[in-house]
């Protein structure tokens, strides 16, 4: 298999190539931040150069968030929205018993803080699971700019829709799928998100702990470890410390299809059994 070093080297090489892209260099000159997610959103809103420069002037670039540090706490006031520039964060919620539920993992390019838009207070804790950095803008200023520029407002609503769909997907994940299915969907989701950012869809790092993955999927840490070992033994994936290699994305999708077929067969058998019992009454 490819070792951790080769995966990291490939990612660094891709970053180096992107840094040499004249378009990227131009963006850095205007934004002060290579591949700034907030500025990219501003550009998708089709702002004129002067307005884009005004937007960028109010962005705080490369704000560091050390591993274990909180970007914001639940019930804290919504002051800024952020886009992750580097690293990984997680969102969590807790109950009165002190149990923590991981509600999501956030990677570069993901927006952070939208959970506070409705009430003005954040609904989740957001904490860095490794040294990270974010680009930030005041939410009050963002509201003002959205009012001035319809294109910016449309794209903002699109981001909100994406977040809603992601949460809906998690509810579906926890509601109907077996343990292995949940983990496979989680890995495929990460694969697609990495690919969308220009990285490998089959080789990437898992910075989160097994315990956090389990909390996110409604499974125990032991179950996550057992399932990863099972997928590795079945040669669907390979693991090297925190680095993961998906042998083929289609292979993982096929395993999901097999589960779906078994569920369909089970539902048919249950319906037949119910009909027989009904006739016996």
């Amino acid at each position: 298999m490819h070792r951790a070093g080769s995966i990291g080297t490939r990612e660094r090489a891709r970053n180096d190539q992107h840094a040499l892209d004249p378009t990227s260099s131009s963006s850095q000159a205007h934004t002060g931040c290579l591949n700034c997610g907030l500025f990219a959103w501003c550009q998708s809103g089709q702002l004129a150069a002067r307005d884009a420069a005004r937007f960028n002037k109010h962005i705080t670039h490369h704000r560091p968030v050390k591993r274990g540090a909180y970007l914001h706490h639940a019930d804290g006031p919504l002051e800024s929205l952020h886009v992750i520039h580097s690293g990984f964060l997680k969102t969590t919620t807790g109950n009165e018993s002190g149990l923590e539920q991981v509600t999501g993992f956030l990677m570069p390019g993901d927006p952070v803080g939208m959970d506070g838009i409705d009430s003005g207070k954040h609904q989740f804790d957001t904490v860095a699971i490794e040294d990270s950095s974010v680009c930030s803008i005041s939410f009050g200023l963002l509201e003002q700019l959205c009012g001035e520029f319809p294109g910016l407002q449309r794209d903002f609503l699109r981001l909100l829709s994406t977040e809603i769909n992601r949460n809906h997907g998690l509810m579906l994940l926890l509601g109907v799928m077996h343990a292995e299915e949940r983990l496979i969907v989680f890995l495929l989701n990460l694969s697609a998100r990495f690919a969308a950012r220009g990285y490998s869809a089959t080789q990437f790092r898992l910075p989160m702990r097994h315990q956090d993955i389990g909390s996110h999927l409604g499974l125990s840490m032991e179950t996550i470890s057992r399932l990863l070992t099972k997928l590795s033994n079945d040669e669907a994936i390979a693991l090297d410390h925190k680095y993961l290699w998906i042998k083929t994305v289609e292979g993982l999708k096929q395993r999901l299809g097999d589960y779906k077929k078994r569920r369909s067969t089970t539902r048919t058998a249950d319906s037949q059994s119910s009909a027989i019992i009904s006739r016996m009454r």
Side-chain angles (χ1 to χ4, degrees):
M1 65 170 285
H2 293 269
R3 309 302 294 174
S6 67
I7 299 174
T9 300
R10 179 173 296 183
E11 291 182 349
R12 286 194 296 272
R14 184 175 284 110
N15 285 335
D16 291 341
Q17 290 173 350
H18 193 81
L20 293 173
D21 184 340
T23 302
S24 298
S25 298
S26 176
S27 296
Q28 185 179 23
H30 290 291
T31 68
C33 173
L34 184 63
N35 298 328
C36 173
L38 282 171
F39 194 75
W41 170 42
C42 152
Q43 290 176 316
S44 68
Q46 298 181 339
L47 267 64
R50 179 183 299 178
D51 297 324
R54 175 187 167 201
F55 182 91
N56 175 67
K57 183 176 67 174
H58 295 285
I59 298 175
T60 300
H61 296 285
H62 286 192
R63 173 185 170 185
V65 188
K66 290 292 185 180
R67 178 183 177 185
Y70 285 80
L71 187 59
H72 57 245
H73 291 275
D75 293 326
L78 170 63
E79 297 174 343
S80 300
L81 291 183
H82 320 271
V83 172
I84 299 178
H85 178 264
S86 65
F88 258 82
L89 287 80
K90 66 178 179 179
T91 55
T92 67
T93 186
N95 57 29
E96 295 178 355
S97 302
L99 296 176
E100 180 187 84
Q101 168 81 43
V102 176
T103 58
F105 296 105
L106 304 169
M107 63 170 60
D110 284 338
V112 187
M114 291 190 174
D115 59 315
I117 291 177
D118 180 38
S119 65
K121 292 184 178 181
H122 291 291
Q123 305 302 305
F124 307 108
D125 291 324
T126 300
V127 58
I129 59 179
E130 62 180 2
D131 287 349
S132 306
S133 65
V134 298
C135 297
S136 311
I137 189 169
S138 161
F139 179 65
L141 177 62
L142 184 60
E143 280 189 304
Q144 177 184 333
L145 292 172
C146 282
E148 294 180 30
F149 306 111
L152 197 62
Q153 186 175 45
R154 282 194 301 270
D155 214 55
F156 184 58
L157 292 175
R158 181 188 60 79
L159 284 176
L160 285 175
S161 176
T162 299
E163 290 298 298
I164 292 171
N165 289 336
R166 181 181 299 175
N167 292 333
H168 181 267
L170 176 61
M171 293 172 60
L172 177 65
L173 187 70
L174 297 179
V176 302
M177 291 185 172
H178 295 288
E180 184 176 332
E181 287 180 286
R182 298 181 190 185
L183 180 59
I184 291 175
V185 169
F186 173 73
L187 295 178
L188 288 174
N189 176 262
L190 282 179
S191 169
R193 291 166 70 188
F194 274 116
R197 289 156 176 79
Y199 295 106
S200 171
T202 56
Q203 297 180 5
F204 47 84
R205 189 169 57 90
L206 293 176
M208 61 287 290
R209 302 176 300 169
H210 289 182
Q211 179 179 346
D212 286 338
I213 297 174
S215 173
H216 181 54
L217 300 180
L219 303 170
S220 69
M221 177 179 65
E222 293 77 14
T223 298
I224 295 298
S225 297
R226 176 177 57 80
L227 289 174
L228 285 172
T229 299
K230 180 176 184 293
L231 290 174
S232 181
N233 290 340
D234 291 347
E235 298 188 346
I237 64 171
L239 292 168
D240 186 1
H241 300 292
K242 284 186 173 291
Y243 288 87
L244 178 82
W245 178 26
I246 298 176
K247 296 299 183 69
T248 68
V249 170
E250 290 304 318
L252 283 185
K253 290 181 178 179
Q254 180 60 51
R255 294 177 79 101
L256 286 180
D258 293 341
Y259 270 106
K260 184 177 180 180
K261 289 178 183 177
R262 286 198 289 271
R263 270 202 305 273
S264 178
T265 301
T266 300
R267 283 196 297 268
T268 300
D270 289 344
S271 297
Q272 292 173 342
S273 297
S274 298
I276 293 172
I277 292 172
S278 178
R279 288 196 295 269
M280 293 174 62
R281 291 175 178 172

